[in-house]
Amino acid sequence: MGKPVLLTVDDDPSVSRAVARDLRRRYGEDYRVMRADSGPQALDALKEIKLRGDRVAAILADYRMPHMNGIEFLEAAMDLFPRARRALLTAYADTDAAIQAINVVDVDHYLLKPWDPPEEKLYPIVDALIATWQAAGDSPVEEIKVVGHQFSPASFELRDFLARNQVPYRWYLADTAEGRRLLESADADPQQPDVIPLVVTPEGEVLRNPSPNELAGRVGLATNPAEKFYDVIIVGGGPAGLGAAVYAASEGLRTVLVEQQATGGQAGQSSRIENYLGFPDGVSGAQLTDRARRQAIKFGAEILTTRKACELIVKGSARGVKFEDGTEIAAHAVVLATGVSYRRLQADGIDDLTGRGVYYGSAAVEAPACAGQEVVIVGGANSAGQAAVFFSKHASKVRLVVRGPNLEASMSAYLIKQLAEIENVQVQTRTTVCACLGEGRLQRIDLKNEDTGAIEAVDAGFCFVFIGAAPLTGWMDGVLVRDEAGFVLAGTDLLGEDGARPKGWNADRDPFPLETSVPGVFVAGDVRSQSVKRVASAVGEGAMAVTLVHRYLSS
């Protein structure tokens, strides 16, 4: 197998030669740099590379080309080398095209021409492309096969678990020809209980209705700690937890992050975050999560999934966490970054249809099934708006149902503007869901106008709920001081009006910022009382918590 290929495509010969020259200067020793003058010519080159069994690490394509523009070419190139990283070469006037490329073909970067000096404008981008390609690998992905029912809560839970943990899988409906073949091969009767969903691993092992913990071990996710004692335990793998893990591990602390389901939290389910610093064209929650997770692992952090913390332990100077199975781990300090969950929607019939058309959060795995159907999204904050934008690309119509009088109080202005420009999105304010109806799956939603009392029956097969924020802190009851809503109090919020320290506080100092009512236990992100519910602030608090852990350990 020859050197991996870096392919550049541009119809302007002078630009094409310049790109190839700069790439060879930096990467020629380890990569074969190839150039093409058009999209069709480049596709022919890729087919030859495929036939030879060689690899393509990255493709840089100019946007403005005759016959086939850069976006069209990259989309076709993905069929041949889906794991090759992609960048679009574009003029300043074509930045809209670059944004389109990010949405259509998941372009990793776009590069404005001219890129001089390459040391500042070209090489850092190509370095990032190559690093991502190397981390993902270019060997064929061995997919897991999942057989289940479209409107089965258990099937949805398993698919959602795999998708959010970025585990490749292929989904088969039990009543399709291929689904039936897999069931027959596994001697599995879909009418029997605890058979669906059926999972077939790449090694041919058959799992019948596996739990997330059982499945995690089969797909390479770590579930058991490597040690009994750490410098810091981080509970929760959202932006705050991942931020804390990156900074703690990079600073030499023995770090373990414990996540109940999948890293990323609510932010990880976002189709596109457009107001996060450093990503002017937006970044999907999955992309941001994957980069942060890989970054934490690179620095030595240990990440455990499917481990639910059920008790916070305080033993002398040690702080620890007990899991549902009775096992526990301990550390010098703990950072709580458990985030929040969406509140349950109160409507007639909704509980019976949860997982059967009603979902909490984005549930992006259901997007293909929404094609040509009407979708209802409940909520008025950024998460709901981002979901509306995402599902508008699949559904025939998206109704954004908002209880308040407008979106301005809870949603970012850029997102409100986007929604107003999408033809198949309808925003209904002062509206609530009063009933969900259907036989075995959601078929109708009754919406109530809170001003007139009128009920509107909507034929919709999918409803995604993004309301409120319920802190996941019940397991801390009796150990930490929380506010009336259950959010964890920290820092000066713990002090009385006379400056009195919280009851049981045994340190000869006031609590550090982000420190809870137990010395050495810190809180970061959405679960903290009075926190700012934004990805950037959560990441910042995670980093800040690590700084305070150092102060605590030194004191």
Side-chain angles (χ1 to χ4, degrees):
M1 187 175 292
K3 294 179 181 179
V5 171
L6 299 178
L7 176 65
T8 174
V9 190
D10 199 306
D11 65 310
D12 185 330
S14 62
V15 174
S16 181
R17 285 193 297 270
V19 177
R21 178 201 64 215
D22 288 339
L23 291 177
R24 289 194 183 97
R25 183 185 304 163
R26 174 76 169 244
Y27 307 102
E29 186 174 339
D30 299 314
Y31 294 85
R32 184 155 59 100
V33 178
M34 298 179 62
R35 65 186 183 93
D37 297 331
S38 69
Q41 185 186 86
L43 287 177
D44 289 340
L46 288 175
K47 290 174 184 176
E48 289 185 16
I49 295 169
K50 189 78 171 179
L51 291 172
R52 288 198 303 266
D54 287 339
R55 299 164 295 164
V56 176
I59 304 171
L60 288 76
D62 183 47
Y63 171 64
R64 289 178 179 262
M65 294 189 294
H67 310 302
M68 176 184 284
N69 67 36
I71 297 175
E72 294 167 340
F73 162 70
L74 289 174
E75 194 168 13
M78 285 175 65
D79 294 333
L80 293 167
F81 289 93
R83 284 173 288 281
R85 310 324 301 173
R86 300 167 291 277
L88 193 72
L89 300 173
T90 179
Y92 182 80
D94 295 325
T95 51
D96 285 345
I99 295 172
Q100 180 188 355
I102 289 171
N103 291 329
V104 173
V105 294
D106 197 21
V107 164
D108 297 280
H109 292 279
Y110 72 85
L111 181 65
L112 289 175
K113 298 186 291 187
W115 57 85
D116 291 327
E119 290 76 13
E120 295 180 11
K121 297 183 179 180
L122 174 65
Y123 296 151
I125 288 178
V126 179
D127 286 345
L129 295 174
I130 290 174
T132 303
W133 175 78
Q134 289 175 335
D138 199 40
S139 57
V141 176
E142 296 181 323
E143 293 177 321
I144 292 170
K145 298 180 178 66
V146 180
V147 184
H149 299 303
Q150 179 67 62
F151 294 100
S152 159
S155 296
F156 165 73
E157 180 184 10
L158 190 142
R159 293 164 57 214
D160 189 56
F161 172 78
L162 291 172
R164 292 181 60 190
N165 281 287
Q166 300 182 35
V167 176
Y169 74 94
R170 191 170 293 276
W171 164 243
Y172 301 93
L173 291 172
D175 57 0
T176 61
E178 184 60 28
R180 286 192 295 269
R181 281 194 290 268
L182 287 169
L183 289 168
E184 290 171 4
S185 300
D187 293 326
D189 182 356
Q191 304 305 319
Q192 295 295 318
D194 296 327
V195 170
I196 299 291
L198 182 94
V199 175
V200 182
T201 69
E203 296 76 24
E205 182 182 9
V206 175
L207 305 175
R208 292 170 169 81
N209 191 21
S211 67
N213 183 266
E214 182 183 1
L215 186 58
R218 299 299 204 284
V219 299
L221 299 174
T223 59
N224 296 311
E227 302 181 36
K228 290 291 185 181
F229 198 91
Y230 296 84
D231 291 321
V232 59
I233 299 168
I234 300 165
V235 185
L242 287 169
V246 167
Y247 281 92
S250 68
E251 293 170 12
L253 296 178
R254 289 172 299 163
T255 304
V256 60
L257 184 150
V258 179
E259 169 54 45
Q260 180 176 342
Q261 186 176 17
T263 52
Q266 288 186 0
Q269 299 182 67
S270 175
S271 57
R272 185 151 300 276
I273 304 167
E274 297 196 48
N275 58 353
Y276 186 64
L277 184 67
F279 291 88
D281 305 305
V283 61
S284 73
Q287 288 175 318
L288 189 63
T289 296
D290 178 60
R291 292 176 181 182
R293 181 186 57 79
R294 288 191 286 111
Q295 195 173 16
I297 292 173
K298 180 188 77 171
F299 287 124
E302 189 179 333
I303 297 180
L304 307 181
T305 55
T306 68
R307 298 309 299 263
K308 183 178 180 180
C310 63
E311 185 179 345
L312 185 62
I313 301 171
V314 180
K315 293 181 179 178
S317 62
R319 308 287 182 259
V321 171
K322 179 178 284 188
F323 300 121
E324 280 188 319
D325 63 359
T327 61
E328 56 186 70
I329 53 176
H332 293 301
V334 171
V335 176
L336 301 172
T338 51
V340 296
S341 63
Y342 293 113
R343 287 206 305 266
R344 293 287 162 176
L345 183 62
Q346 301 301 310
D348 293 340
I350 194 168
D351 291 339
D352 293 336
L353 295 172
T354 298
R356 304 178 188 274
V358 175
Y359 305 96
Y360 288 86
S362 181
V365 295
E366 296 296 335
C370 295
Q373 299 200 40
E374 184 161 345
V375 168
V376 172
I377 294 175
V378 184
N382 279 9
S383 296
Q386 289 160 353
V389 172
F390 173 71
F391 283 106
S392 70
K393 301 171 186 175
H394 301 270
S396 60
K397 181 177 181 179
V398 175
R399 291 179 189 247
L400 184 60
V401 175
V402 184
R403 182 177 57 181
N406 55 57
L407 293 173
E408 281 72 14
S410 55
M411 189 178 292
S412 296
Y414 82 88
L415 203 47
I416 296 173
K417 182 180 178 181
Q418 276 188 24
L419 292 172
E421 295 173 350
I422 301 175
E423 291 184 358
N424 64 333
V425 172
Q426 176 183 336
V427 179
Q428 293 185 225
T429 57
R430 296 289 297 152
T431 303
T432 57
V433 175
C434 57
C436 293
L437 304 95
E439 293 294 330
R441 56 159 295 185
L442 179 67
Q443 294 170 311
R444 196 185 88 193
I445 301 174
D446 287 348
L447 302 178
K448 180 181 179 181
N449 185 299
E450 292 297 315
D451 291 328
T452 66
I455 304 294
E456 179 185 7
V458 177
D459 293 328
F462 294 89
C463 178
F464 301 94
V465 182
F466 300 83
I467 59 170
L472 304 172
T473 59
W475 61 283
M476 307 171 197
D477 191 26
V479 181
L480 300 183
V481 177
R482 298 174 294 160
D483 64 18
E484 293 179 354
F487 293 89
V488 178
L489 293 170
T492 56
D493 291 339
L494 289 165
L495 302 179
E497 293 182 1
D498 57 353
R501 294 165 181 164
K503 184 179 179 181
W505 182 261
N506 60 7
D508 189 23
R509 57 173 176 79
D510 288 344
F512 293 135
L514 304 186
E515 192 171 24
T516 69
S517 56
V518 174
V521 177
F522 299 84
V523 62
D526 291 358
V527 72
R528 183 179 64 82
S529 180
Q530 304 300 316
S531 65
V532 178
K533 305 299 188 287
R534 287 290 184 269
V535 175
S537 62
V539 173
E541 286 192 9
M544 180 179 173
V546 173
T547 299
L548 297 171
V549 166
H550 283 295
R551 289 178 60 183
Y552 167 75
L553 295 177
S554 66
S555 65

